[in-house]
Each structure stands twice: as structure tokens, then as C-alpha cells.
Amino acid sequence: MAWLLIVIAGLLETGFAVSLKYSEGFSRLVPSVAFVVFAVGSFVLLSTGLRSLPVGPAYAVWTGIGAAGTAIVGMIFLGESTAVLKLVSIVLIVAGVVGLQLSSAAS
């Protein structure tokens, strides 16, 4: 259950990163409020998951999901580049997160 909280927290991290872009320096109300909601939700779930998980792998999964998710959302919805190197880098992030999670489970 704790890993599910971390995954959801990582998805919320993607939400707060995209909201931050749309807030235009916190000058737009709705994206600014969305940023706060996503950020608070993400940190609450992360801190709850950390009660029973090791901090290293859990934090890596959280940031990995947030980084990869934000890059993917940027490519699909924001017209950002889909260069091969960018796609390979996202795969490497996901592979690293999976590796850390598997090494944590084996311990």
C-alpha cells in the first residue's frame, strides 16, 4: 500500500510541475491553486509512504515518476520535442526507478 501512495504522489508531482508552468509565475489564480493542491497532496502522500518505506528508493521512485511524467506530458500536450535522446533518457529514468525498487524489495 505504501508503494501505491508513492506512485500517486509521483503523479501528483507531475500535476504540480505542469500547474507551475501554467501559473505564469503565480500570476494566474486557477493554475496557482492547482499547484498548491497537487503539491500538498504529493508531499502528504510521500510523507505517509515514508513511514514504512526506506527513504532512498521511495524518494527516487517519487522523483522519477514526477520527472518522467512531466516530460511525457510536455511532449504529448505541450508540444515539446520528442527527440530520440529525450525518449531514451525517459526510459533510463524509468529503468533506474524500477531497479531501485527491485533492489529495495530484495533487501
Side-chain angles (χ1 to χ4, degrees), residues 31-103:
S32 298
V33 170
F35 165 80
V36 171
V37 170
F38 285 132
V40 168
S42 182
F43 285 110
V44 166
L45 292 177
L46 174 64
S47 66
T48 303
L50 287 175
R51 290 179 184 164
S52 61
L53 295 172
V55 69
Y59 185 76
V61 168
W62 178 71
T63 57
I65 290 170
T70 302
I72 290 167
V73 167
M75 289 186 290
I76 293 173
F77 297 108
L78 304 177
E80 294 179 5
S81 139
T82 57
V84 173
L85 182 57
K86 192 175 198 178
L87 296 171
V88 169
S89 297
I90 292 170
V91 169
L92 290 172
I93 290 170
V94 172
V97 164
V98 169
L100 280 169
Q101 203 283 334
L102 290 174
S103 70

